[in-house]
Amino acid sequence: MSAAPTDFKYVWLLWASTFMLPWMILYIFAPAVRRLMIRASLATAAFGLTEPFFVPAYWNPPTLFELAQRTGFDLESLIFCFAIGGIAAVSYRVFTALPDAVMDHTLRQVGRHRWHLAALAVPFPIFFLLVFLPWNPIYPAILALFAGALAAVLCRPDLLRNSLSGGVIFLALYFVFLLGLRWIWPGYIEAVWNLPELLPWRPMGLPAEELLFGFGIGLYWSCVYEHVAWRQGQIDASLHSAVG
């Protein structure tokens, strides 16, 4: 797959940077989740270093200093991953205002709760086991996210609502941003994405894989905080107390 035309040189940088706008809005107007946003963003920024798996097999965007074409890495991916991680981790908490409470210490050692760290780690071995198979690397990435969300919910069934809410909210945001990319820079998707290797189904001209990726990001990252901080919905906490 050849590189896109040079007139698209700064599109990836501009598009990745626009995700910082909702990130900043959330950070400014939702101070209660600022620490969570920073931690999630720093964690997901590291995933920008996986770009060599995707260039040029999945896409081949022009980048600053032609870094992606020379090394496989690029600065834009770090910005993109930083922004989407923070957004996905907190957007459901801001828009749904789901109440929560700290899980009782005794419950943390009961049954499936003991596996919460293992559940969170599920996407990593799955991705690195599947990415070397003869298929496009975007599919291992999508499957890893969905598997991580499923493992998190199996470990913590009370997080199902959080996960689905986060998935839908982030998918909606990501869909709007993809449409903006298509409308503002016509021809960019066709020039940059390796469409012949992807699914022929493209809603409104958008790669279906991108929509699945966006949904997976929201599904998985929206329940990471509850696992790490041992948070649970107040309704679930009341039920546990009543049973105890």
Side-chain angles (χ1 to χ4, degrees), residues 47-190:
F47 290 99
L49 300 177
T50 64
E51 192 69 355
F53 287 110
F54 301 96
V55 176
Y58 177 61
W59 73 334
N60 195 12
T63 57
L64 287 177
F65 314 116
E66 298 181 355
L67 284 177
Q69 288 68 43
R70 294 177 178 177
T71 67
F73 300 99
D74 61 70
L75 299 176
E76 293 89 340
S77 293
L78 298 177
I79 298 173
F80 173 76
C81 290
F82 178 91
I84 65 172
I87 295 170
V90 307
S91 57
Y92 79 98
R93 296 176 64 84
V94 173
F95 292 109
T96 62
L98 297 175
D100 63 13
V102 178
M103 181 178 289
D104 186 89
H105 283 275
T106 59
L107 294 174
R108 301 182 188 185
Q109 306 302 320
V110 177
R112 68 187 73 185
H113 291 310
R114 293 175 295 178
W115 300 97
H116 78 115
L117 289 179
L120 289 180
V122 161
F124 306 102
I126 287 184
F127 175 75
F128 286 106
L129 285 173
L130 298 180
V131 74
F132 296 104
L133 297 178
W135 57 348
N136 198 283
I138 191 61
Y139 299 116
I142 293 170
L143 288 174
L145 289 168
F146 277 74
L150 177 61
V153 171
L154 288 176
C155 180
R156 292 276 308 275
D158 58 296
L159 298 183
L160 177 61
R161 178 175 56 173
N162 297 26
S163 182
L164 291 176
S165 299
V168 171
I169 291 172
F170 190 78
L171 172 60
L173 175 68
Y174 201 56
F175 182 77
V176 170
F177 272 66
L178 283 168
L179 281 181
L181 175 68
R182 180 169 180 78
W183 292 341
I184 296 173
W185 292 287
Y188 183 79
I189 289 177
E190 292 75 10

Side-chain angles (χ1 to χ4, degrees), residues 201-220:
W201 179 57
R202 300 185 186 110
M204 300 187 70
L206 306 176
E209 290 80 1
E210 285 294 324
L211 301 179
L212 291 171
F213 172 77
F215 187 50
I217 286 287
L219 283 177
Y220 175 71

